[in-house]
Amino acid sequence: MNLSGVLFFPVTPFDAEGGLAEEVLAEHIRQGLEHGPGGVFAACGTGEFSALSEAEHERVIRVAADVVRGRVPLFAGAGGPLGAALSQARAARAAGADGLLLMPPYLAQGPGHGFRAYVEAVAAELPVIVYQRGSVVLEPEAVVELAGVPGVIGLKDGLGDIDRMQRTVLAVRETYPDFLFFNGLPTAELTMPAYRGIGVELYSSAVFAFAPEIAKAYLNGDERLLTEFYAPLVRLRGKVPGYAVALVKAGVRLRGLDAGPVRPPLVDVTEEHLAELEALIKSGLELTAS
């Protein structure tokens, strides 16, 4: 599967009554596609996967598929209890998704072969990228085993352990040279130089969701953005738990699309922090234009 460049993780817009705002979602994805992402990942972490009902999850994927129409690969979030993950996977397949980003199974933990069985069951429905974060912490040997499971095509790393990832990349690519690796840390641009150094080129860009011009300029080599935009954004993100998502949604609103609030347990950005974000976006856009 050809995934390259910046990967687009759209937010999930909600309306004034708290329901899914499908037309806003469609417009959000249309606007993102104009900037040439390498793939669209709908109803994933930035899309508040954990806050969606199964019916809402299916609608998000159908709306995304109707807009994307095969122009780039479309992935859907899936995970949690096995029954829910399988239901999400089947709904995503029926809606036209090309693959899944498989979230951790949350509170239930078993030995390594138990997690492998969980992944195998979901990968039987659609190609899977396993998301390593939270309770899912994999040794290189375990990733080699997963890479041999039919339908498992990649690993997205949300831990940030560069030593572990270097050993994992080396071990997997001995046998599976086409296996995909992704930097899945929040505001991944800040750590991309380190990940590129160990052979991990792909990354999920939260910034692309609200300022694709900035994300593309950084991808094209504008290193000024690293110190003058991304580093301050990471400092702002660290002020409140959950801002990795809430700031993105606030940024979408600041750029003129009413994506609504985040759902609990996340909280919306304060007015003070919103002003900081607005100033950062303005500064970043000025840099890309200079």
Side-chain angles (χ1 to χ4, degrees):
M1 190 175 296
N2 184 25
L3 288 166
S4 60
V6 180
L7 305 178
F8 176 24
F9 284 66
V11 302
T12 299
F14 302 121
D15 59 26
E17 287 72 44
L20 181 64
E22 295 188 17
E23 292 184 5
V24 180
L25 174 61
E27 181 60 24
H28 178 42
I29 296 173
R30 273 194 293 269
Q31 290 181 8
L33 286 172
E34 291 175 0
H35 293 270
V40 174
F41 287 68
C44 293
T46 303
E48 297 181 75
F49 164 80
S50 61
L52 301 177
S53 70
E54 288 194 18
E56 289 172 328
H57 175 276
E58 181 179 7
R59 287 305 306 158
V60 168
I61 306 310
R62 287 196 177 277
V63 169
D66 286 345
V67 177
V68 173
R69 294 186 177 275
R71 285 179 283 178
V72 297
L74 172 63
F75 280 73
L82 180 58
L86 290 172
S87 178
Q88 292 154 359
R90 290 162 185 160
R93 184 184 63 198
D98 300 297
L100 304 168
L101 177 61
L102 186 59
M103 311 289 185
Y106 303 127
L107 294 177
Q109 276 188 280
H113 61 276
F115 180 68
R116 174 175 172 153
Y118 174 86
V119 174
E120 284 179 333
V122 180
E125 303 295 334
L126 275 175
V128 158
I129 297 167
V130 175
Y131 200 172
Q132 174 173 248
R133 61 177 296 181
S135 61
V136 176
V137 181
L138 302 168
E139 292 298 325
E141 297 77 14
V143 183
V144 173
E145 288 190 12
L146 287 173
V149 172
V152 177
I153 64 170
L155 176 75
K156 181 179 179 182
D157 179 52
L159 298 179
D161 185 334
I162 294 295
D163 175 83
R164 180 190 299 272
M165 277 301 293
Q166 178 67 94
R167 290 184 287 114
T168 298
V169 170
L170 292 173
V172 171
R173 286 186 174 159
E174 281 186 10
T175 308
Y176 305 102
D178 296 327
F179 193 76
L180 301 172
F181 289 98
F182 304 78
N183 173 358
L185 294 177
T187 320
E189 285 88 349
L190 196 65
T191 53
M192 273 316 297
Y195 275 83
R196 284 178 177 144
I198 62 170
V200 179
E201 297 287 335
L202 295 167
Y203 66 97
S204 54
S205 175
V207 170
F208 188 93
F210 64 88
E213 307 94 330
I214 295 173
K216 293 298 291 286
Y218 174 71
L219 183 67
N220 292 333
D222 192 339
E223 296 293 335
R224 299 172 302 167
L225 291 165
L226 200 58
T227 56
E228 298 181 43
F229 174 79
Y230 285 106
L233 181 64
V234 168
R235 288 194 292 271
L236 178 58
R237 188 195 73 209
K239 291 183 178 181
V240 177
Y243 263 19
V245 174
L247 282 174
V248 177
K249 207 162 204 182
V252 172
R253 293 195 300 269
L254 286 170
R255 296 301 304 278
L257 201 59
D258 185 5
V262 294
R263 281 181 174 172
L266 301 181
V267 297
D268 284 311
V269 175
T270 67
E271 290 299 320
E272 176 187 356
H273 295 158
L274 189 65
E276 288 185 48
L277 177 62
E278 186 172 23
L280 272 176
I281 293 172
K282 180 182 178 182
S283 173
L285 292 172
E286 289 173 350
L287 282 171
T288 65
S290 63

